[in-house]
Amino acid sequence: MLLHIHSFINNQEQQPDTFWHSLNVQARLLCAFISVFAIALTPNGQWKTWGVYGVGVLVVILMSRVSWLTLLSRVIIEFSFVGVVLLGTLFRPEGDVIWSWWILQVTTTGVMVLGSVTTKVILSLLMLNTLILTTEIPDLFKALLALKMPPLLVAIMASMYRYIDVLNREFTAMKRAAISRNLMSNGKMIRYVMGNAIGALFIRSYERGELIYQAMLSRGYKGIPVIPEKMSYKKQDIIVLIVTVIIVLWGQVIYL
């Protein structure tokens, strides 16, 4: 998510006044985490359980009034990377063979596993992207710290979020320089230039990160962010958490 999280900032400038936005950030974060864990830990082939969870995710999306175009564009980008890995689950030796070609064969078990994992990924991405699109990123980091997330891990994510836009500008400048020198004329040259640009960007990032870290240490940085005071939960936050747990238990009862 942090690889393109900077593109969400413009969507967070004007948030609508909805019931979802009125909830405590920690409550929203807990609802998302509980839902994602329940979706991911459900065994393969439990379509009715995922149907219940899907209705819950749909209710959250409708309550938050997230733009469907923005939400689906984020999910498609992320799923395009995950989908390449998911294709490997289709070719499994278990089950009845549906289609085969040479050493490749598609079985009923492979189709079931592929459908199950795809459903898990889509529901999880919808929930997490809804959370990010409706919550300020600094508030998310504060909520993670308040929920006892390891401070060092939160500091790493905060640094990635803070400087990802700098890396994007650096890469754009490299690409523009290559285009101005007519180095992007054919596919082979594009791959060569982009490979060198990514390598140079990695070295620059490492060097700049070391300089920034030394500068922060000289100004008293301890390497661990300050843990904020835990926010109090309101009545509506507790109600939403209870409803989330009930939906999760309902889905598990259907499975059992």
Side-chain angles (χ1 to χ4, degrees):
M1 303 288 284
L2 285 172
L3 292 176
H4 63 273
I5 205 170
H6 65 286
S7 61
F8 297 150
I9 297 176
N10 294 332
N11 297 320
Q12 296 169 357
E13 294 177 350
Q14 294 181 350
Q15 296 288 356
D17 185 14
T18 65
F19 177 76
W20 175 256
H21 290 85
S22 66
L23 297 176
N24 188 335
V25 178
Q26 296 180 35
R28 281 184 257 171
L29 191 61
L30 284 174
C31 288
F33 279 5
I34 292 172
S35 301
V36 169
F37 276 113
I39 292 169
L41 295 177
T42 301
N44 295 330
Q46 303 302 320
W47 311 110
K48 293 182 180 179
T49 300
W50 289 321
V52 173
Y53 295 158
V55 172
V57 172
L58 179 62
V59 170
V60 172
I61 295 173
L62 294 177
M63 277 198 309
S64 62
R65 297 182 190 173
V66 174
S67 169
W68 281 99
L69 180 61
T70 303
L71 178 62
L72 293 179
S73 64
R74 301 295 185 262
V75 172
I76 290 172
I77 291 173
E78 295 164 359
F79 187 79
S80 62
F81 291 96
V82 182
V84 178
V85 180
L86 293 182
L87 287 177
T89 63
L90 185 61
F91 307 103
R92 299 175 67 92
E94 302 89 357
D96 301 328
V97 177
I98 301 176
W99 176 85
S100 64
W101 179 74
W102 197 32
I103 62 173
L104 298 178
Q105 60 181 13
V106 177
T107 63
T108 53
T109 302
V111 173
M112 185 269 293
V113 172
L114 178 62
S116 299
V117 178
T118 301
T119 303
K120 292 181 183 181
V121 171
I122 292 176
L123 291 179
S124 300
L125 289 178
L126 286 172
M127 190 67 196
L128 291 175
N129 279 280
T130 301
L131 173 67
I132 293 176
L133 287 169
T134 56
T135 310
E136 297 289 341
I137 303 302
D139 292 339
L140 275 178
F141 292 145
K142 292 178 182 177
L144 288 172
L145 289 172
L147 293 173
K148 306 303 181 182
M149 179 72 73
L152 183 59
L153 180 59
V154 177
I156 293 173
M157 291 191 294
S159 298
M160 291 175 64
Y161 166 69
R162 187 175 292 112
Y163 294 107
I164 193 71
D165 191 54
V166 177
L167 296 178
N168 185 46
R169 290 200 301 268
E170 289 281 347
F171 185 78
T172 302
M174 290 180 180
K175 183 178 179 181
R176 188 181 299 114
I179 294 174
S180 65
R181 290 165 175 80
N182 198 27
L183 297 177
M184 309 283 284
S185 55
N186 56 68
K188 184 178 180 180
M189 184 62 68
I190 290 174
R191 292 193 295 270
Y192 178 77
V193 172
M194 288 296 102
N196 283 276
I198 292 173
L201 186 62
F202 175 78
I203 296 174
R204 287 189 190 181
S205 303
Y206 183 82
E207 293 175 348
R208 179 173 293 188
E210 187 67 24
L211 291 175
I212 292 173
Y213 179 67
Q214 295 297 331
M216 293 171 69
L217 288 180
S218 65
R219 290 164 174 80
Y221 179 67
K222 302 297 182 182
I224 301 296
V226 179
I227 299 178
E229 296 182 0
K230 195 171 184 178
M231 299 174 62
S232 59
Y233 291 93
K234 296 176 289 187
K235 183 178 180 181
Q236 58 188 11
D237 300 326
I238 297 175
I239 292 175
V240 169
L241 288 173
I242 292 174
V243 171
T244 302
V245 174
I246 290 174
I247 292 175
V248 169
L249 294 177
W250 183 19
Q252 294 302 311
V253 167
I254 294 175
Y255 155 60
L256 296 175

